[in-house]
Amino acid sequence: MRILLTGSSGWLGRFLAPLLWQAGHDPFGLDVAPGRHTHRVGSVTDAALVRRLFAEHRFDGVIHAAALHKPDIARYPRRAFIDVNVTGTLNLLEAAVAHGASRFVLTSTTSLMITQAIRDETAPAAVWLDETSGPLLPRNIYGVTKRGAEELARLFHADHGLPVVVLRTARFFPEDDDTHRALAGENMKANEFLHRRLTVEDCARAHVAAFDRAPALGFGLYIVSAPTPFGRADAAQLKADAPAVIAKYFPDAAALYAARGWTLPARIGRVYDAAAIERDLGFRCRTDFAAVLAALRDGGPLPFAHDPAYTSPNDHFLR
């Protein structure tokens, strides 16, 4: 299938485009920055460009991975988030319907599910988050605009029958956390595989699975994260004494961490549950916390990317 892939020069796009080729598709990359998998440099905010590309290439479907992200809040005004994340999504949805595209996959974020209270960890137990969680009260412009994009996608399915799958992805960025720096980057990423991270490779695989299944689903919205080893019954103890819970599932985790000079989380305040996408799409992330421990145990390379020097192609957006 001929696919319009937005964000093709980004971290996800550079892994997703080759997977689409391997699956027999023909991705056409659109990004604000040049890249190996980008065929046209331009912005989704340019409605005329989007319409022209659809008219020229007759895309069968769209994977919309382009966005301004949370770290961009420090660099761009709120208006830019609305232009890219909301208006850009609207431009793509309108063109997809006008040209009879058969499916649309939207990359969203679990970040929009995190209220200020969840972020501050005011609850007595870890908050268990799945697709039914709410009310949704995004705490910043990034979350607000991604929530708006989700609702536009839902509306276009309801009004026009466009098959849509929304993927709320957990963390998969390679750079250091732009807010929390208490732990070294690799240590923090390893910890997050317990409850709120996946690899970029798994994220790309989830998008291919969503694209293939969209027509059968009609509309679907899913959290995408490495499978957590925990159950809901662990929530209270995770908040009080996370190492004790981790030891129940991984008895040698503390020793493996100590040998590396790492620290296990003292407490865990939220857990993303990715059971629904496994149930409905048969998709499960290949890399989980057990894989991280296996690498530590065997002395092999860590199964996730860490690049403190990574910079987003969004740096090109307002130049």
Side-chain angles (χ1 to χ4, degrees), residues 70 114 116 118-121 139 171 173 175-189 192 195-197 267 270 306:
K70 190 264 182 182
I114 308 306
Q116 191 61 47
I118 292 175
R119 187 175 187 276
D120 293 342
E121 299 188 357
R139 69 188 188 280
R171 293 176 160 212
F173 55 78
E175 65 267 38
D176 286 325
D177 190 295
D178 67 326
T179 303
H180 305 287
R181 301 191 182 277
L183 296 177
E186 289 182 333
N187 187 169
M188 180 173 287
K189 287 181 172 64
E192 289 172 344
H195 64 117
R196 63 166 180 169
R197 178 168 281 275
R267 64 182 188 180
R270 74 188 83 154
H306 175 65

Side-chain angles (χ1 to χ4, degrees), residues 248-271:
K248 290 194 303 184
Y249 295 94
F250 307 101
D252 63 344
L256 291 169
Y257 262 53
R260 183 94 177 197
W262 284 2
T263 303
L264 287 167
R267 64 182 188 180
I268 290 175
R270 74 188 83 154
V271 176

Side-chain angles (χ1 to χ4, degrees), residues 4 27 29 42-43 79 87 89 101 116-117 125 129 139 183 205 210 251 254 277 301 317:
L4 176 59
S43 174
R79 175 64 61 182
T87 305
T89 302
Q116 191 61 47
L129 294 163
R139 69 188 188 280
L183 296 177
R205 289 178 53 244
I277 194 170
F317 177 61

Side-chain angles (χ1 to χ4, degrees), residues 17-65:
L19 276 189
L20 291 169
W21 277 111
Q22 293 169 22
H25 298 300
D26 183 14
F28 180 96
L30 172 66
D31 202 295
V32 294
R36 180 179 178 183
H37 305 292
T38 294
H39 301 82
R40 183 66 60 87
V41 174
S43 174
V44 295
T45 63
D46 186 343
L49 171 62
V50 170
R51 290 193 298 269
R52 187 164 64 251
L53 290 177
F54 268 88
E56 291 172 357
H57 300 282
R58 299 291 175 180
F59 300 117
D60 299 299
V62 178
I63 298 180
H64 180 27

Side-chain angles (χ1 to χ4, degrees), residues 202-219:
D202 278 332
C203 192
R205 289 178 53 244
H207 281 72
V208 176
F211 187 83
D212 290 344
R213 292 294 306 279
L217 289 169
F219 181 85

Side-chain angles (χ1 to χ4, degrees), residues 113 118 127-136 168 223 232 271:
M113 304 173 68
I118 292 175
V127 178
W128 203 268
L129 294 163
D130 63 16
E131 292 78 4
T132 67
S133 298
L136 299 178
R168 288 183 182 167
I223 289 173
R232 290 176 184 265
V271 176

